[in-house]
Amino acid sequence: MFKQKNYVALGAVLFVAVLILSLPTRATDRIKLALGAWFLPLFGLAGAAQQLPADLADSALPRRELLKQIDKLRRENQQLRSQAVQSVAIARENDQLRSLLGWQRQMPWKLKLANVVMRDPANWWRTAEIDLGSRDGVRVDLPVITAAGLVGRVSSVSLLRSQIVLIGDPNCRVSATVENATHDMGVIVASGPIDTSLVELTYLASSANLKPGEIVKSSGLGGVFPKGITIGQIVDSRSIEYGLYTEARVKLSANLGSLEQVWVLFP
Amino acid sequence: MNFFQPILILSAAYLVVFGEATFALPRQLLGAQIDLLPALMVYAALNASLPVIVLLAVLGGLWFDTFSANPLGVTILPLFAIGFPIYLRRDLILREAPFAQFVLGATASAIAPALTLLMLLSGSQEPLLGWGTIWQWIVMTAGGGLAAPVIFSLMSRCDRALGYQPQTETSFRADREIQRSRKKL
């Protein structure tokens, strides 16, 4: 049953696996980058295939409908412009007050739009890949958001693509605060492998009095996520370890199950 | 040497990994992504040579880990651990029977993620585990089992349609044909 060629095959696979597993992270990142490049033709094909129905739908849209949409967008644009003028005035006033109090000036967020090109094929990680890389200025630990709320952070970067670790993955912990009278603080950790919309807010004070529906935002502690990014809403809470601390379930604002476009937040 | 079969199997692995990373429908519907690499390894172990099995384990594992947060190379050994024992015993397995294909596919799809998780946990990694993992494991097992007969059928069709087949020789020889006739005396 066990011929020499079987021993050779077994030895070869063991050798290759152990060799690759023992490589330093930097080297494995480079190999991942090189192997990922093999799939670029398929990415191109998939992108073109996704674009085709949208193009066809655009070309089939009647002129009247387009004019109606333009009119609607114009009105929305005017409304947003007036809001922008107002917010500039508020920001200026905020800066003046901050300088009077001797506080550090707040910098406005710089955002870059990215497309989510793939998800982690393994069920035990929550990561995704976006089409921005080091060429676009992306670097490790930059926060990633959508209009609805926090999504995660950049975990590794290649020239053209970056991997983002989503909120709810064991490798993405966020310091968070609840928008209530006591501003209870805790840490967002993973909850379970199936429901991507729920996470746990743990290490809350035992006296924390949380109500369902209260908003949870990033606290700004930890240095990765800026303060004030919406994370989600409290679903329920319970006491842990005979009242040592409180834990709450949080429903995420961003829909991580169907991410298509995200914003990378530059400091 | 027939290079068509290795190319076919490796191309299938390449497409399978890409599909798993981009096609999110099973995850949205069932809460778990179905991994087709173990079922493909079962096909390779029953039909291909040992170097092809080695190549599929190494390349398939590396491709899978490239798109995943797994440490690179962690999927190689679980894939080979499926393919190698089947290869050694393949003369005793009814590879044409769909039920056997289902059982082998399901078993392989159950063992591969379990071994990968075992390797991750022993390597001080912290994968996302919970009660839901059992459901994901069941979905992966059933999905892999159901996919195995489909993979066998598709691959055999591709092999028959595109690969060249060994020419079978007929035992008929015209010079040795017995001429029967009634002889009039």
Side-chain angles (χ1 to χ4, degrees):
Chain A
M1 188 177 100
F2 245 82
K3 296 174 192 162
Q4 195 189 357
K5 67 168 187 175
N6 295 345
Y7 282 114
V8 172
L10 186 62
V13 172
L14 274 173
F15 176 73
V16 170
V18 171
L19 183 76
I20 294 171
L21 282 169
S22 58
L23 286 173
T25 317
R26 211 172 156 159
T28 55
D29 283 349
R30 282 188 180 178
I31 297 172
K32 277 192 176 187
L33 186 69
L35 289 169
W38 290 22
F39 289 85
L40 285 178
L42 286 184
F43 279 120
L45 274 176
Q50 277 176 353
Q51 194 58 37
L52 194 66
D55 288 348
L56 283 174
D58 285 352
S59 62
L61 213 59
R63 193 166 178 270
R64 190 182 288 175
E65 181 64 29
L66 287 172
L67 288 171
K68 206 193 279 180
Q69 283 186 9
I70 289 170
D71 191 44
K72 191 183 160 196
L73 287 170
R74 255 191 210 136
R75 265 183 277 142
E76 207 175 289
N77 191 21
Q78 280 175 355
Q79 205 178 349
L80 287 170
R81 275 189 183 181
S82 62
Q83 279 178 6
V85 170
Q86 199 182 0
S87 57
V88 165
I90 291 169
R92 203 179 297 137
E93 190 184 68
N94 188 35
D95 284 344
Q96 282 171 355
L97 290 170
R98 276 179 168 269
S99 65
L100 283 174
L101 288 167
W103 288 6
Q104 201 183 1
R105 203 179 151 203
Q106 266 190 330
M107 297 304 287
W109 289 351
K110 286 179 210 158
L111 300 167
K112 255 189 191 170
L113 188 67
N115 292 309
V116 176
V117 288
M118 62 167 49
R119 298 294 293 262
D120 201 315
N123 288 311
W124 41 84
W125 304 116
R126 270 188 207 164
T127 65
E129 213 159 278
I130 55 170
D131 62 351
L132 291 182
S134 57
R135 194 183 59 169
D136 307 290
V138 176
R139 52 180 196 274
V140 172
D141 281 346
L142 286 182
V144 180
I145 60 172
T146 63
L150 187 66
V151 167
R153 64 175 174 83
V154 176
S155 58
S156 66
V157 184
S158 66
L159 187 68
L160 301 170
R161 294 183 194 285
S162 306
Q163 191 180 52
I164 54 173
V165 53
L166 304 177
I167 192 166
D169 186 275
N171 295 317
C172 183
R173 296 184 174 210
V174 187
S175 172
T177 180
V178 184
E179 290 217 316
N180 59 7
T182 48
H183 286 93
D184 296 303
M185 286 180 77
V187 180
I188 294 281
V189 295
S191 77
I194 290 184
D195 195 351
T196 53
S197 67
L198 286 175
V199 289
E200 299 272 353
L201 177 59
T202 189
Y203 304 126
L204 288 156
S206 55
S207 58
N209 183 22
L210 304 175
K211 291 185 185 70
E214 284 177 338
I215 304 289
V216 179
K217 289 192 171 185
S218 59
S219 71
L221 297 176
V224 175
F225 301 100
K227 189 180 176 181
I229 304 175
T230 305
I231 295 172
Q233 287 184 337
I234 297 285
V235 176
D236 51 24
S237 62
R238 61 189 183 282
S239 185
I240 300 290
E241 302 281 345
Y242 305 102
L244 193 65
Y245 61 96
T246 305
E247 215 168 70
R249 285 196 305 164
V250 175
K251 185 162 179 62
L252 293 173
S253 300
N255 184 5
L256 302 188
S258 58
L259 280 178
E260 285 179 4
Q261 288 186 322
V262 291
W263 296 94
V264 180
L265 204 155
F266 291 81
Chain B
M1 192 185 166
N2 186 359
F3 283 106
F4 180 72
Q5 198 184 41
I7 291 168
L8 182 68
I9 289 171
L10 293 177
S11 306
Y14 176 78
L15 291 174
V16 157
V17 171
F18 181 77
E20 283 173 25
T22 50
F23 190 61
L25 196 66
R27 184 173 289 159
Q28 284 166 1
L29 290 177
L30 304 165
Q33 183 64 276
I34 295 164
D35 186 8
L36 300 180
L37 274 180
L40 188 64
M41 177 54 94
V42 170
Y43 172 80
L46 288 175
N47 295 287
S49 60
L50 191 57
V52 178
I53 297 165
V54 171
L55 266 178
L56 178 62
V58 173
L59 283 178
L62 287 177
W63 286 335
F64 188 90
D65 295 338
T66 297
F67 293 133
S68 168
N70 282 341
L72 192 70
V74 83
T75 318
I76 294 175
L77 284 178
L79 279 177
F80 191 69
I82 295 163
F84 192 56
I86 297 175
Y87 171 77
L88 292 178
R89 296 276 177 190
R90 69 177 177 180
D91 296 334
L92 305 173
I93 296 169
L94 298 168
R95 70 190 75 174
E96 301 295 330
F99 182 70
Q101 293 165 2
F102 170 80
V103 171
L104 283 172
T107 311
S109 301
I111 291 172
L115 283 178
T116 309
L117 277 174
L118 203 69
M119 286 185 68
L120 286 172
L121 290 169
S122 61
S124 71
Q125 295 283 327
E126 202 185 330
L128 188 57
L129 295 175
W131 288 109
T133 308
I134 297 170
W135 168 251
Q136 289 183 330
W137 191 59
I138 291 167
V139 170
M140 289 173 86
T141 304
L146 292 172
V150 180
I151 287 174
F152 270 74
S153 165
L154 279 176
M155 298 294 279
S156 309
R157 278 183 191 199
C158 285
D159 203 19
R160 271 200 304 274
L162 302 170
Y164 64 82
Q165 304 296 319
Q167 196 176 3
T168 50
E169 281 185 23
T170 172
S171 57
F172 174 75
R173 284 177 62 180
D175 57 327
R176 294 208 175 170
E177 191 180 12
I178 300 166
Q179 299 284 339
R180 293 178 189 277
S181 59
R182 282 187 182 175
K183 285 183 182 175
K184 286 182 180 175
L185 295 169

